Amino acid sequence: AAGVIQSPRHLIKEKRETATLKCYPIPRHDTVYWYQQGPGQDPQFLISFYEKMQSDKGSIPDRFSAQQFSDYHSELNMSSLELGDSALYFCASGQGKRSGELFFGEGSRLTVL
Amino acid sequence: AQKVTQAQTEISVVEKEDVTLDCVYETRDTTYYLFWYKQPPSGELVFLIRRNSFDEQNEISGRYSWNFQKSTSSFNFTITASQVVDSAVYFCALSEARGAGKSTFGDGTTLTVKP
């Protein structure tokens, strides 16, 4: 069965650079969630989208922005990268606004040097 | 607000021992979902189980079993006859149906199974 696809899987950037992560949800899933997991931490919710509209917002820095496109894929844009942004970024998709059942991708590992 | 507590930060067992990972949650919602995920050293989150708040039936899947007790707001996870490949970080998570469906994770329990 198709799963959530995240790209790139690994990304290395310098401080103050910009990075974009992409997420392709499971077919027919209309909700996307982004999570950030720092080293030794649990995943922290950043932002979510339902039917291309932002549905919830968590601890997402102002330097980050995200959107969901007409084909339901989502992109997380991170600007003015800081060392502390080094983390695993997970995308999860679900069906319906409040399904509560999330399917996670394998994550994108961002390293900021 | 929802909260998940995994009191055990690290557990170390010897292969073939049984081990139980504790999870206690807080929520004001009557409809919610509980999850367990495994995160091996490679980093991906592996879904293990999802349980909704109306289904208190315990579940067994091979060497894995889950004990859901609403009365104590607990959703504990037991691995029977542990194996070295079970070594990972295990996360318990909660999502409320009333919200936008996002999950809140516990801090995770690092399980080390020694040969």
Side-chain angles (χ1 to χ4, degrees):
Chain A
V4 176
I5 306 295
Q6 290 188 244
S7 69
R9 294 293 312 281
H10 300 274
L11 190 59
I12 299 175
K13 290 286 185 178
E14 302 272 339
K15 277 197 310 184
R16 292 180 286 279
E17 285 191 325
T18 298
T20 297
L21 305 181
K22 297 184 179 182
C23 169
Y24 297 86
I26 291 172
R28 291 184 293 283
H29 280 195
D30 47 19
T31 309
V32 168
Y33 305 79
W34 284 99
Y35 284 80
Q36 178 192 55
Q37 185 181 22
Q41 307 284 317
D42 59 289
Q44 294 292 317
F45 172 72
L46 293 178
I47 195 167
S48 63
F49 294 88
Y50 168 67
E51 283 291 344
K52 293 151 277 185
M53 300 280 289
Q54 181 181 309
S55 57
D56 201 358
K57 194 172 179 181
S59 51
I60 184 168
D62 292 340
R63 299 177 288 106
F64 292 10
S65 65
Q67 57 180 321
Q68 186 178 31
F69 294 85
S70 57
D71 64 350
Y72 295 102
H73 94 273
S74 177
E75 295 185 5
L76 177 66
N77 298 297
M78 301 173 283
S79 61
S80 302
L81 287 170
E82 302 173 356
L83 296 179
D85 297 328
S86 295
L88 252 179
Y89 290 83
F90 287 103
C91 170
S93 74
Q95 202 162 25
K97 189 174 184 180
R98 298 187 176 90
S99 72
E101 182 171 21
L102 308 186
F103 295 81
F104 281 85
E106 294 189 332
S108 293
R109 187 176 295 278
L110 171 67
T111 302
V112 181
L113 302 176
Chain B
Q2 53 192 27
K3 183 179 177 183
V4 177
T5 302
Q6 295 179 251
Q8 306 145 309
T9 306
E10 295 182 14
I11 299 177
S12 181
V13 298
V14 177
E15 216 172 9
K16 298 197 177 87
E17 286 185 6
D18 298 347
V19 58
T20 295
L21 310 181
D22 297 335
C23 173
V24 175
Y25 61 92
E26 295 176 29
T27 176
R28 295 181 188 172
D29 210 342
T30 55
T31 303
Y32 52 89
Y33 303 88
L34 295 162
F35 305 82
W36 275 97
Y37 294 92
K38 174 182 180 180
Q39 188 172 43
S42 50
E44 72 272 21
L45 278 172
V46 179
F47 167 82
L48 296 178
I49 190 170
R50 167 185 183 256
R51 174 68 65 209
N52 75 53
S53 52
F54 297 110
D55 181 3
E56 288 194 68
Q57 189 172 11
N58 292 328
E59 182 159 338
I60 298 175
S61 176
R63 296 184 297 106
Y64 295 169
S65 63
W66 291 269
N67 184 347
F68 176 29
Q69 293 199 350
K70 278 179 88 168
S71 59
T72 55
S73 297
S74 65
F75 186 43
N76 297 336
F77 171 33
T78 297
I79 301 175
T80 304
S82 60
Q83 300 176 0
V84 173
V85 293
D86 296 327
S87 297
V89 180
Y90 290 85
F91 289 100
C92 179
L94 163 73
S95 64
E96 293 173 337
R98 186 173 55 186
K102 67 176 184 284
S103 286
T104 297
F105 286 76
D107 290 339
T109 297
T110 300
L111 173 65
T112 302
V113 181
K114 299 177 181 176

